[in-house]
Amino acid sequence: MSSPDTPRHIPPLLPAVVTVIALLALGAAGFRYLAPAPPGAEVGLDRVRAAALAGDLQRATLLDQDAVVVVVDAAGAVLHAAYPASDVATAQLVADLATGDVAVRVDPQVDKAVVGVLVTVVLPLILLAALFAIVLVATRDGAGAGGVAGFGRLRGRQAGGHDRPDVRFSDVAGIDEAVVELREVVDHLRDPSRLATLGGRPPKGVLLAGPPGVGKTLVARAVAGEAGVAFFHVAGAEFVESLVGVGAARVRDLFAQVREAAPAIVFIDEVDAAGRRRGAGGAVGGTDEREQTLNQLLVEMDGFSVDDGIVVLAATNRPDILDPALLRPGRFDRQVEIGRPDLAARQAILTLHAGTRPLHPDVDLAALAGRTPGFTGADLAAVVNEASLLAARTGATQVTQSHLVEGVDRVRSGPRASQVLTDAERHRVAVHEAGHAVVVAALGRAAEVTRVQAVPRGRTLGSVTLGGDAVLRAAEDLRDDLVALLAGRTAERDRLGSASTLGEDDLARATGLARDLVGAHALVEGLPPRRLLAPRTAGHLGEATDDAVLGADARERLDTAVDAELVAAEARASSLLQVNGAVLEKLVGELDRLESVDGHRLHALLAGIIPPARATAGQR
């Protein structure tokens, strides 16, 4: 508690707000004062004129501002009547009063005239000025870089002094390679002389590249936490404005703050928003706002050295669209790729996030990691959190394996949907999902099938959970994937007589995979070893994609080859389902009865699969 002698801080907005409130109160009082309040009973103007012409009035007073006439009749009664505020009406009224020898007096009401000018002219101007002052103060002190007064300033999310990040490398799991690369930055910021004695120079800038959710921001904060330095966290989009020069000014302001707080780390999240390749998207010329921002960023990164205690970390999901000048040595000297975690990394991440939860002894995090191929660190954290919420919802005191498995399903497909399926619809979903599972098992990947569900979740009506972390895919593997994708609708068509809309997503994925197989990877015999399809990112760079300039003959050959792959995959799926029809019927029956099959029950059902010999590249 402050002492009585300590001056109290007055918020800068308080005087302006008090002024506005006072002006509004004055305005209300002024309008109330201006309202007419004449004495006597109110009568009509025609009665006043009739009395005047009949000689029944003694005197009359015209209230000029109120447009009211107050009269005293022969009996001494005081009456008043409103009259139109016009020169013609006033002249006619005065003439009628004069005809009846009524003593007429005009009250100009000077005080009301003055108050009227103040309320209708002066007070609104003062009120507008006060409101404008509020806007200026708010944008200067509250809105930061986006405000009027601070349009060229970028305040960022600085964690300096006692508010420095408390994240450490021990709080990060599954990205050991990235930690090793970044430890040099930490060692330099802690003890610059250590590397200098060996003649080594740490990287001035490090680009963290990888898909969303893999932990790029977390590891950047961990670097600052390990080094114990100030941490400036800004987004690339904060530099970009429609006004030319604003982004460059914000870049200058950011690095001015960083130099004052050095040693420090600057973390630019989604750097591609400001560092996209110049000339991309059709915007060219030195006056383009994005290009000026990028040029200023390049200048600032050239304007300091690692000896100044400043290191720039940046993160992006799209390193391929960054300007080459930004990636050259001396700016971003090192690029660290953070990919989706593999099986061991997923288990480590799950162990880290589950370490503070009360786990049941039956929890098997290794098995859970096998159920989550393709999950990022953020996804795995969400799985553990969902499991904890489910345990709390059911009143359990520990998180069980069933809670964690349900958490995986909720993160992958969403919570159970409220759709009410008929028995026929539920059976069709069971046939579709069982078709996927049986064909995957028949392709020699039975161990990857961990769960089959005919349960609506999110926008899906059923699902098959697969394991496996393949990195390199041969042509045969891609064709197997095509067969597995088309197996669901093929099972519907063969067992129920027709396919349905359940296979819409499967068709889209299968078509994209077949186009990549033919046009991107050139893995089809009979076509030249040429990439017909450009990377999907090229269109974002203002470049013409290869398929956009293909001739009619080449495009026709591409489409013909894609169609052939899809037809062959569907035929192969139908053959595998026919051979394993008994297993398919058993699995469909279990799904009709239980809605979800996994674990030993699923493996026992799939044990009867008859796997054919792997098709060769020519068997299409």
Side-chain angles (χ1 to χ4, degrees):
M1 182 179 296
S2 59
S3 64
D5 297 333
T6 302
R8 302 182 63 182
H9 174 69
I10 300 177
L13 284 177
L14 185 59
V17 173
V18 171
T19 301
V20 170
I21 295 175
L23 291 174
L24 292 176
L26 286 174
F31 281 112
R32 185 174 182 180
Y33 176 75
L34 292 176
E42 183 177 7
V43 296
L45 183 59
D46 55 344
R47 179 178 172 183
V48 172
R49 285 176 172 171
L53 296 174
D56 294 336
L57 299 181
Q58 300 181 29
R59 60 183 180 274
T61 302
L62 298 178
L63 304 180
D64 186 50
Q65 296 297 319
D66 293 342
V68 172
V69 58
V70 180
V71 298
V72 179
D73 61 12
V78 179
L79 307 172
H80 71 269
Y83 60 88
S86 67
D87 294 340
V88 176
T90 303
Q92 183 63 43
L93 177 61
V94 172
D96 292 341
L97 293 173
T99 302
D101 290 334
V102 180
V104 179
R105 184 176 69 88
V106 178
D107 183 358
Q109 295 183 294
V110 177
D111 52 347
K112 282 196 173 185
V114 174
V115 172
V117 172
L118 292 176
V119 171
T120 59
V121 179
V122 178
L123 193 61
L125 294 177
I126 300 176
L127 185 60
L128 288 175
L131 291 175
F132 187 68
I134 290 177
V135 173
L136 284 179
V137 173
T139 53
R140 182 190 63 203
D141 297 330
V148 175
F151 224 79
R153 292 184 57 81
L154 181 72
R155 299 195 172 185
R157 287 164 284 182
Q158 177 193 359
H162 64 280
D163 198 26
R164 298 181 181 186
D166 55 0
V167 182
R168 300 293 185 268
F169 284 146
S170 58
D171 301 317
V172 181
I175 49 176
D176 298 336
E177 296 83 359
V179 171
V180 171
E181 295 292 334
L182 292 169
R183 194 171 291 279
E184 293 178 5
V185 175
V186 175
D187 294 340
H188 169 72
L189 292 174
R190 281 180 174 178
D191 185 10
S193 62
R194 179 180 177 184
L195 292 178
T197 56
L198 299 175
R201 297 183 64 83
K204 178 188 290 189
V206 179
L207 179 67
L208 307 175
V214 294
K216 299 185 292 294
T217 301
L218 180 64
V219 75
R221 294 185 62 84
V223 172
E226 287 283 343
V229 298
F231 184 71
F232 289 82
H233 182 183
V234 298
E238 295 182 50
F239 297 118
V240 181
E241 276 288 347
S242 58
L243 300 179
V244 176
V246 173
R250 291 179 179 178
V251 172
R252 287 192 295 269
D253 179 68
L254 170 64
F255 280 90
Q257 295 182 52
V258 173
R259 289 186 179 91
E260 293 178 359
I265 286 177
V266 184
F267 177 59
I268 306 176
D269 200 4
E270 304 297 344
V271 68
D272 50 277
R276 181 169 295 189
R277 183 178 301 176
R278 283 169 286 191
V284 295
T287 59
D288 178 64
E289 163 64 7
R290 190 186 301 275
E291 292 190 15
Q292 287 201 17
T293 303
L294 174 58
N295 291 336
Q296 187 62 44
L297 181 60
L298 298 177
V299 170
E300 293 294 340
M301 293 196 68
D302 289 338
F304 69 89
S305 67
V306 290
D307 296 332
D308 298 329
I310 300 174
V311 176
V312 179
L313 301 180
T316 180
N317 308 326
R318 304 280 301 281
D320 52 305
I321 68 173
L322 294 178
D323 193 90
L326 194 63
L327 302 178
R328 72 161 177 82
R331 287 169 181 153
F332 284 106
D333 307 270
R334 184 171 300 172
Q335 297 185 35
V336 178
E337 184 73 26
I338 304 179
R340 297 181 186 275
D342 58 13
L343 179 62
R346 292 198 301 274
Q347 183 176 351
I349 295 172
L350 287 169
T351 302
L352 177 66
H353 288 292
T356 58
R357 268 80 170 184
L359 300 181
H360 192 273
D362 71 344
V363 169
D364 186 353
L365 294 181
L368 190 69
R371 288 177 174 266
T372 55
F375 275 38
T376 64
D379 294 331
L380 296 171
V383 167
V384 177
N385 184 62
E386 288 287 348
S388 300
L389 294 177
L390 289 170
R393 186 180 303 170
T394 58
T397 58
Q398 291 180 313
V399 178
T400 65
Q401 187 76 1
S402 61
H403 292 141
L404 290 166
V405 171
E406 177 66 17
V408 172
D409 292 335
R410 292 172 73 90
V411 172
R412 176 181 284 115
S413 304
R416 294 190 60 148
S418 58
Q419 292 102 323
V420 178
L421 302 179
T422 64
D423 292 341
E425 290 172 335
R426 189 178 300 108
H427 180 67
R428 182 175 287 275
V429 174
V431 170
H432 184 98
E433 302 304 335
H436 284 302
V438 168
V439 167
V440 170
L443 292 171
R445 296 158 55 186
E448 296 182 15
V449 185
T450 59
R451 194 176 196 184
V452 184
Q453 296 184 90
V455 179
R457 287 183 177 276
R459 293 180 295 177
T460 64
L461 299 179
S463 63
V464 176
T465 304
L466 300 178
D469 291 284
V471 178
L472 181 65
R473 309 288 289 171
E476 294 79 5
D477 298 322
L478 295 178
R479 290 192 173 92
D480 285 350
D481 292 342
L482 272 180
V483 175
L485 284 170
L486 296 176
R489 70 188 308 272
T490 303
E492 288 185 66
R493 186 196 60 196
D494 293 350
R495 298 292 168 174
L496 304 177
S498 64
S500 69
T501 57
L502 280 172
E504 180 181 359
D505 183 62
D506 297 335
L507 279 177
R509 294 168 58 192
T511 302
L513 179 58
R515 285 178 61 84
D516 286 343
L517 180 70
V518 176
H521 306 306
L523 297 177
V524 177
E525 295 181 3
L527 291 179
R530 171 190 170 195
R531 185 184 180 105
L532 299 176
L533 298 177
R536 293 184 177 89
T537 57
H540 298 281
L541 303 178
E543 301 174 359
T545 56
D546 290 347
D547 57 328
V549 295
L550 287 178
D553 181 65
R555 184 180 296 277
E556 183 179 357
R557 294 174 65 189
L558 172 65
D559 292 339
T560 300
V562 170
D563 292 343
E565 291 291 339
L566 293 173
V567 171
E570 190 174 44
R572 190 175 171 206
S574 179
S575 175
L576 293 174
L577 289 170
Q578 185 177 1
V579 171
N580 294 282
V583 178
L584 178 65
E585 292 298 333
K586 290 180 182 179
L587 182 54
V588 170
E590 289 294 295
L591 289 174
D592 284 338
R593 186 170 63 90
L594 301 174
E595 290 189 335
S596 179
V597 182
D598 60 0
H600 298 294
R601 184 187 300 272
L602 177 61
H603 293 156
L605 286 171
L606 298 180
I609 288 290
I610 303 174
R614 177 180 289 274
T616 63
Q619 292 175 322
R620 300 193 301 275

